[in-house]
Amino acid sequence: MSLKNIEDIAAYIVAGGKGILAADESNPTCGKRFDSIGVESTEENRRNYREMLFRSKGMKGNIGGVILFDETIRQSAEDGTLLRDLITSQDALPGIKVDKGLEPIDDCPGETVTVGLEGLDERLKEYSSMGAKFTKWRAVINIGDGIPTDKCIDANMQALADYAKCAQDNGMVPIVEPEVLMDGKHSIDDCYDATDRSLKSLFSHLDKKGVNIKGTILKPNMITSGKDSDVQASIDEVAKRTLECLIENVPSELPGIAFLSGGQSDVLATAHLDAMNKIGGFTWKLSFSYGRALQAAALQAWGGKPENVFISQDELSHRAEMNKLASLGEWEEELEER
Ligand code: 13P
């Protein structure tokens, strides 16, 4: 791979239908995932699990980048190979989550701002020296009674822009993730409105900060009904409303949009992505940066047992292949029958 600058890196990650494996769960989040399969979240178990994922055959050609947590970028596989080198050997680029999580906002009940700008420049320099080519920062927007407020959106999108500039100044691609959560009973229109406001604010802050859009990847939510809403929008409607919102707000020179899965089932996340790519009519690559929707089946199949490694890797490989097809608009439901 000869990647001369951030524009090359961003284009590489999403080239030819490839997407991103989000494996940057913090230790507490990883603990929750492991609880669901009755495995203790020790440093060794987290290493074993991620080593297994990164050695899966289906990484190659389907995954262009892997987002890591601080612990993982420093870890080695059982044979001593650095996990980040395993990723590179699969022709994927290692990336790193660099925000420091959520804090409540004064006078905004139910809302948070993502923190981590303090000391960011030094952290980025270290990650770059370890070979990280891209970074991720996640902002969280809640929908509820009277929220999101403009104050919450503005504070979060400004922090995203400050982070993105710092990442680019250190030669790494920023993935900007303004996640409007699916939690709640809200309608698809409420999700559209919150996402539309967030994206407008985000691109205005990126512009003000002088962030190079051609060296940036957007990681948005799709426009869906709230998880607990009685009315669930169809695949077609999710695809159309999501595209409408992105076309309205995202500059055409952005190289890639890689969705988060946000709690959607794995097949539904694939179906939505495929439906959008079948509609077409946009300039960016429309791809995936899934955590749960890539890993859920592999995690279940593994169950913490070494004898399950191959079937677990097969599950990850399958989802990676399905999502690559969806990024090309070439997925069909029958391909899920194995
Ligand atoms: P999910 O796809 O599980 O939402 O995770 C993506 C992610 O990286 C959230 O920050």
Side-chain angles (χ1 to χ4, degrees):
M1 321 172 205
S2 120
L3 305 169
K4 289 190 291 297
N5 53 42
I6 52 170
E7 296 181 13
D8 287 354
I9 295 169
Y12 179 87
I13 293 171
V14 291
K18 281 185 297 181
I20 298 167
L21 168 62
D24 60 323
E25 298 84 4
S26 63
N27 290 348
T29 303
C30 200
K32 278 191 236 157
R33 305 274 188 273
F34 280 14
D35 281 348
S36 75
I37 53 165
V39 170
E40 200 188 341
S41 178
T42 62
E43 186 173 344
E44 192 185 359
N45 284 341
R46 291 190 293 270
R47 189 280 306 273
N48 290 343
Y49 174 63
R50 270 117 179 199
E51 174 177 354
M52 171 184 75
L53 296 181
F54 304 159
R55 286 190 190 276
S56 300
K57 278 209 186 81
M59 288 271 299
K60 210 168 225 166
N62 299 315
I63 300 294
V66 180
I67 318 174
L68 302 172
F69 186 61
D70 181 78
E71 176 183 276
T72 322
I73 199 168
R74 302 170 192 278
Q75 271 175 329
S76 298
E78 209 164 359
D79 69 1
T81 315
L82 284 163
L83 293 186
R84 55 188 201 250
D85 290 342
L86 282 185
I87 292 168
T88 314
S89 72
Q90 297 276 28
D91 297 339
L93 303 177
I96 181 84
K97 166 199 170 82
V98 299
D99 67 70
K100 293 275 193 187
L102 314 176
E103 276 186 6
I105 308 180
D106 287 344
D107 305 325
C108 295
E111 300 196 296
T112 58
V113 64
T114 302
V115 295
L117 291 171
E118 212 183 302
L120 179 64
D121 189 58
E122 294 83 72
R123 298 208 303 284
L124 290 174
K125 285 186 168 46
E126 188 192 10
Y127 290 138
S128 174
S129 75
M130 291 177 181
K133 299 291 179 209
F134 69 98
T135 59
K136 186 195 94 168
W137 178 291
R138 172 175 177 256
V140 173
I141 304 295
N142 275 291
I143 298 179
D145 226 8
I147 63 172
T149 60
D150 287 341
K151 181 176 172 180
C152 165
I153 290 180
D154 192 63
N156 273 295
M157 301 310 142
Q158 187 173 346
L160 267 170
D162 289 344
Y163 136 77
K165 182 76 176 95
C166 197
Q168 291 191 338
D169 288 347
N170 280 288
M172 291 182 284
V173 166
I175 295 189
V176 288
E177 179 179 13
E179 175 172 7
V180 176
L181 292 182
M182 287 175 74
D183 298 352
K185 288 185 163 179
H186 54 267
S187 66
I188 190 168
D189 288 338
D190 294 332
C191 179
Y192 187 104
D193 182 62
T195 308
D196 180 61
R197 287 166 59 205
S198 300
L199 291 177
K200 279 193 170 51
S201 171
L202 173 62
F203 284 100
S204 150
H205 279 295
L206 291 174
D207 186 49
K208 265 189 253 162
K209 237 4 228 185
V211 171
N212 176 1
I213 294 296
K214 290 185 187 163
T216 303
I217 291 178
L218 173 68
K219 175 163 175 165
N221 52 285
M222 296 182 194
I223 309 291
T224 63
S225 313
K227 221 187 301 181
D228 302 320
S229 166
D230 296 335
V231 187
Q232 287 296 316
S234 65
I235 292 173
D236 229 33
E237 192 178 1
V238 169
K240 282 192 190 133
R241 299 301 305 275
T242 305
L243 280 184
E244 189 190 332
C245 192
L246 293 173
I247 288 167
E248 161 76 20
N249 290 297
V250 182
S252 57
E253 70 263 29
L254 186 97
I257 296 178
F259 290 105
L260 60 97
S261 59
Q264 297 179 40
S265 79
D266 46 12
V267 176
L268 196 55
T270 305
H272 284 147
L273 178 61
D274 179 67
M276 285 183 249
N277 279 300
K278 282 194 165 79
I279 295 171
F282 41 81
T283 46
W284 352 271
K285 295 269 193 274
L286 208 56
S287 175
F288 57 94
S289 175
Y290 295 159
R292 284 162 285 178
L294 274 169
Q295 295 182 46
L299 181 74
Q300 287 301 320
W302 177 54
K305 301 196 174 75
E307 64 268 30
N308 293 337
V309 161
F310 287 116
I311 72 163
S312 173
Q313 288 178 324
D314 195 48
E315 293 291 350
L316 178 75
S317 296
H318 176 66
R319 289 261 53 86
E321 279 166 36
M322 293 297 104
N323 284 307
K324 179 189 181 167
L325 290 173
S327 296
L328 299 169
E330 293 172 2
W331 175 81
E332 301 295 337
E333 203 172 349
E334 299 79 75
L335 296 170
E336 294 292 343
E337 290 158 20
R338 296 189 296 152

